[in-house]
Amino acid sequence: MYDRIESAGLKGRDFLSTQDWSVDELETLFSLAAQLKADRKAGLPTRILEDKTLYMIFFDSSTRTRNSFETGITQLGGHGIYLSPDRMQISHGENARDTANVLSRYGEAIAIRHCAFGEGNAYLSEVAAHASVPVLSMQCDVYHPCQILADYLTIREKFGDTSGLKLGVAWTSAPNYVRPISVPQSLILMMPRFGIDVTLAYPPEFKLLPEIEAQARLNAEQSGARFEITNRFEDAFEDADVVIPKSWGPLVHTRDHDEGIRLIEAYPSWRCDAAHMALGRDHMIYMHPLPADRGREVTDEVIDGPQSAVYDEAENRLHVQKALMALTM
Ligand code: CP
């Protein structure tokens, strides 16, 4: 498998959204991720990126993304450098063009997390426009593509053929902070391309970007999958095979922080518990990208219960990102 990495033709490609990659290209990535995962578990060497350097610029905090990327590049034989904008000359106004050009002269890829609404994707795109090495999204305000790669690999591992499965993506109430909309947006974009029927449930103020919802509809039409939006929490669970209940902010509705928190607090019953889980098919699995707000987004009984796949999902961040780095770097 590793000898087919070069011929995949993905070296140098940016990864800002799954939408930029064809289904065939994503299939190549999932095959390689599965191989890397199996080889790691078998104790086989996977040093595909010896002497290669990945720069990781984090405008926002992270547990899974930082550690899975940094561990991944280590396991591939390369080196990851954690960069915080407040310790870079970005803090003194150095622009995306200069940052992109300079880092391109040193290493083999630039990964960025920048979730500020209305800024993050523009910054990643600007770096990608000027970098001569691949730019990999570690989450922006619009997309979290690596999370959705891990989610899909997890679903495929649990169910095999994913065509015709029902995935419920449900908003949940977690007023401790206003979360980005990038996870639900990336889910509704990619899952229908693999034949998965998606039901997206949110209170009216938590709608997603209209162009993303429109693209998700188009993706579903093209693959023959179903995509529906509902304002009823239970619709995401009924007869579902997979459910991903998670919080996001009413950012399309309002940019006002206090108003956002007030709206999140207005729907406390949008919380996943055992009764909701009973609405799904017997084999339904619970997923969440983490961190989860235990008690408000989901009960401990569910997230720690037999239907929960959250740690498999978190682990798969490592394997899909190793494949992503191996293919693009
Ligand atoms: N799911 C996820 O991206 O986790 P972190 O914010 O911890 O990176």
Side-chain angles (χ1 to χ4, degrees), residues 3-4 69 74 83 86 131 142-143 186 193-194 214 223 237 259 264 266 273 300 302:
D3 57 3
R4 296 208 299 273
F69 263 106
T74 301
L83 296 165
D86 65 329
V142 184
Y143 309 112
S186 292
R193 297 174 73 199
F194 287 85
S223 73
F237 292 83
E259 171 71 354
I264 296 169
D273 62 19
D300 286 342
V302 171

Side-chain angles (χ1 to χ4, degrees), residues 11-31:
K11 189 170 181 183
R13 276 284 287 278
D14 296 325
F15 187 66
L16 304 189
S17 165
T18 57
Q19 195 67 27
D20 303 332
W21 285 38
S22 71
V23 168
D24 283 349
E25 289 166 344
L26 293 169
E27 286 285 5
T28 298
L29 187 149
F30 291 126
S31 296

Side-chain angles (χ1 to χ4, degrees), residues 170-174 233-234 237 245 267-277 286 293-300 302:
W171 178 86
T172 55
S173 180
F233 190 54
E234 289 77 11
F237 292 83
Y267 298 97
S269 65
W270 287 61
R271 180 184 74 146
C272 176
D273 62 19
H276 295 114
M277 294 299 291
Y286 166 88
D293 189 341
R294 286 168 173 259
R296 284 190 284 209
E297 287 194 271
V298 59
T299 59
D300 286 342
V302 171

Side-chain angles (χ1 to χ4, degrees), residues 61-65 113 139 144 147 289-291 317:
S61 53
S62 168
T63 295
R64 280 142 290 272
T65 304
R113 167 171 281 194
Q139 187 177 18
H144 195 352
Q147 181 63 55
L290 303 179
R317 292 291 303 274

Side-chain angles (χ1 to χ4, degrees), residues 55 57 83 88 98-107 110 133:
Y55 300 103
I57 307 175
L83 296 165
M88 297 173 73
D98 292 345
T99 304
N101 273 287
V102 171
L103 294 181
S104 295
R105 297 293 180 103
Y106 301 148
I110 304 168
V133 295

Side-chain angles (χ1 to χ4, degrees), residues 166 201 230 232-239 269-270 276 279:
K166 174 181 169 178
T230 168
R232 188 173 164 267
F233 190 54
E234 289 77 11
D235 287 344
F237 292 83
E238 285 167 0
D239 299 321
S269 65
W270 287 61
H276 295 114
L279 298 172

